[in-house]
Amino acid sequence: MHDQSDNKFYITTPIYYVTARPHLGTLYSTLLADVLARWHRLKGIKTFFLTGTDEHGQKIAQAAEKAGKQPKEFVDSFIDSYQKMWAEYELAYDRFIRTTDSYHVKAVQDWITHLLNKGDIYKSFYEGWYCTSCETFVTEKDAEHTTASSGPKCPTCGRETHIISEEAYFFKLSAYQDRLLKLYADNPDFIIPKERAHEVINFVHSGLKDLSISRTTITWGIPFPGDTKHVTYVWADALNNYITAVGYGQPERKKEFAQWWPADVHVLGKDIIRFHAVYWPAFLMASDLPLPKHLLVHGWIRVDQQKMSKSSGNAVDPQALYDTYGAEPVRYYLMRQMAITHDGDFSIEDLEQRISSDLANDLGNLLNRMSSLAHKHGLIDVPPVAVWEQAALDLRDECWSMLEEVEDYMSDFLVHMALARAWKFINTTNAYFHAQEPWKLAHSNPALFAQVISATCHSLRAIASVLWPVMPRKMEELLTSINAPLNQEYDTLENLELGTWDTYFMIHHIPPLFKKPEPKEPQESKMVEKTSEQANHITIDDFTKVELLVGTIEQCEVVPQSEKLYKLQVNFGDKGMRQILSGVRASFSVDDLVHKQGVFVFNLKPRMMLGMPSEGMMLFANGADGAPKLVTVAVHVPNGTRLK
Ligand code: ME8
Ligand code: MG
């Protein structure tokens, strides 16, 4: 899909908010970028891989305050945990940018000054609904359903928004509407996968307003040049990391900038597509800079059908995974399991299954059986084969078509498909090895025995090469054990495809590459900080202990001392009225709940919440977006009806 005619590859990840240690989602994006970077290195292409952290803005300032720290001190405290974990997972980035780095701060200020002078940035007033969590104003269109009493929910995170009015500097986004639409039309591969482009195009099509890019309500940010009452809006600061990291605005790094910019691929999750597909290209157009070639937009890793995130309390700790399984099996699993085009479910069971069957059985055993058999019969030097048998020629053809197809998938960024294709060939090789019955040939036909070993080594060499970006250390071990180390000085892949099968191997028997996870108690509870109970069997008697009743919410009031709670008065028919407190204000307005029938645990032990009794619990089901949804019955039933 993408061409590398300029023989360089510049790939980036989002820069992460440092309000906590890295989680599996941030690991996933960074890993995807690492695998693609390594793939290009394997092809002999000069590659630059950038990642880093987003350290300014209100969200960080608030988190710091909560932790009782100064913002800089607070963000500093997380940097080590990021860099340590990225090293453990073998993420071989070329630069780690922090938006508090002085070169970045200065370059962003120069960028603003430049656009102020050009007239693309100007000063005015802004009033609107603002989401503190996403640091973004709700657009007029999204705010349409606003009632006088409460603001619109943030369309991104579903949280409450607040009106703010402030003097602000604006970026003339409206002037770029047509050029943006032309960009999407002329470059159907700008947004990958293509399906994700629709929402972007609709958004731009519906009309762009100028974007406020400064704040006076915040102090933790890059000071606005020439007007220190203002700090730079966090996205105007953060997006520029992609250019400042490679030298933009730094005269002494001019050559470097010319070498790397434009980026070939920005990797990002679908939550931040608008910032990357609309604001960022407009910023670059205003700066007369070339545009990135592709945005690679992936879906969510989900746990228990919900988006995994810190705030849903279901974050998987990559440190625990690393400690239990090691880096490379986790790398393989994430790359194999997740299709970038879709959300994907994480489960320990699937991870362990992949390690056992794919890594230990299919791949590890192939190497092990081949090398122990060779050693058993004293075959250490495996000379090139003069005349291949038909079965080996067929295997070779399969090998070359595997290389070609893997290459096609990788150039479309479909890593999971590339891995599936490679595995098909691993199994072809296993079938070949088995069908040849080399253990019978060792004495009867030593030449054919050596041929089978050689063909298997040739296959393993190709397999290990294409898997190297995903499991670099293990594949280097494999390649070393057959004396065929990678040479990244030239295009390894092209050599494998064009070369004849004429390599001289030497076999060192090594311990198994992958260990099968030991059967043990379910690990999930240890790895996943779950909010819900594990699903265990219960008897019908256990079930009948729980009284699930239908009731109608007659009244719903905000509890002023709390950000989350509603106080509900619920009508259970002849069982009476009950007061029940429920912490779902982020997801429902008062109107969403009043007069609705819901399902309640009626005999839950009464509890005091903020000094108020709550007698029962309302049930919700989390939707695909992770937000709770009302649980109700399909038709109206009398209040007080028991579920059974
Ligand atoms: O948005 N599954 O930072 P952030 C997959 N600072 N990927 C996930 C994920 C999940 N469950 N959760 C998070 C920001 N991610 C800004 C970016 S860029 C100039 C500024 C990944 O810490 C995914 O890549 O909230 C998502 O886009 C990113 O983390 C958001 O990271
Ligand atoms: Mg986020």
Side-chain angles (χ1 to χ4, degrees), residues 372-385:
S372 36
L373 190 66
H375 267 236
K376 186 170 163 200
H377 297 287
L379 185 61
I380 288 166
D381 290 299
V382 187
V385 173

Side-chain angles (χ1 to χ4, degrees), residues 297-520:
V297 187
H298 63 74
W300 299 137
I301 299 181
R302 293 180 309 192
V303 175
D304 299 338
Q305 309 296 311
Q306 297 184 38
K307 181 198 171 200
M308 191 205 67
S309 68
K310 269 277 165 231
S311 46
S312 341
N314 64 351
V316 174
D317 180 6
Q319 189 64 52
L321 293 179
Y322 172 81
D323 294 342
T324 311
Y325 304 102
E328 302 206 348
V330 177
R331 287 174 64 109
Y332 170 71
Y333 168 73
L334 287 175
M335 288 295 102
R336 177 80 196 253
Q337 190 81 359
M338 293 287 300
I340 57 138
T341 43
H342 291 83
D343 294 347
D345 289 304
F346 174 89
S347 95
I348 294 289
E349 225 172 46
D350 291 343
L351 167 64
E352 295 201 341
Q353 172 66 25
R354 289 279 181 201
I355 298 174
S356 291
S357 69
D358 298 7
L359 297 180
N361 282 350
D362 298 347
L363 178 56
N365 276 350
L366 174 61
L367 174 69
N368 204 259
R369 272 188 297 158
M370 183 280 292
S371 63
S372 36
L373 190 66
H375 267 236
K376 186 170 163 200
H377 297 287
L379 185 61
I380 288 166
D381 290 299
V382 187
V385 173
V387 185
W388 291 104
E389 296 278 307
Q390 190 56 44
L393 290 174
D394 292 346
L395 185 68
R396 190 184 70 176
D397 285 348
E398 263 299 306
C399 181
W400 289 346
S401 57
M402 179 276 290
L403 289 168
E404 235 170 74
E405 288 169 40
V406 165
E407 170 117 44
D408 286 347
Y409 284 128
M410 290 301 285
S411 63
D412 286 345
F413 310 113
L414 297 171
V415 180
H416 68 295
M417 297 293 287
L419 288 174
R421 182 62 188 86
W423 244 263
K424 190 174 152 215
F425 179 64
I426 291 172
N427 290 327
T428 306
T429 308
N430 270 316
Y432 162 84
F433 189 81
H434 193 77
Q436 294 301 306
E437 303 186 313
W439 48 93
K440 290 188 184 161
L441 297 174
H443 297 294
S444 62
N445 191 343
L448 191 53
F449 176 71
Q451 171 163 160
V452 174
I453 298 295
S454 175
T456 307
C457 285
H458 277 95
S459 293
L460 278 167
R461 179 189 180 187
I463 291 161
S465 303
V466 299
L467 296 184
W468 177 81
V470 177
M471 295 182 285
R473 202 175 307 151
K474 294 287 182 191
M475 293 307 103
E476 281 165 20
E477 272 177 48
L478 192 165
L479 288 165
T480 308
S481 82
I482 55 174
N483 202 36
L486 275 187
N487 183 345
Q488 283 188 60
E489 293 302 298
Y490 56 66
D491 184 339
T492 303
L493 295 168
E494 184 154 319
N495 271 282
L496 288 171
E497 280 163 50
L498 300 182
T500 45
W501 265 21
D502 60 357
T503 302
Y504 200 125
F505 294 99
M506 265 167 64
I507 297 174
H508 315 274
H509 188 55
I510 57 169
L513 278 181
F514 301 100
K515 274 208 299 262
K516 285 191 188 188
E518 284 158 28
K520 54 186 168 259

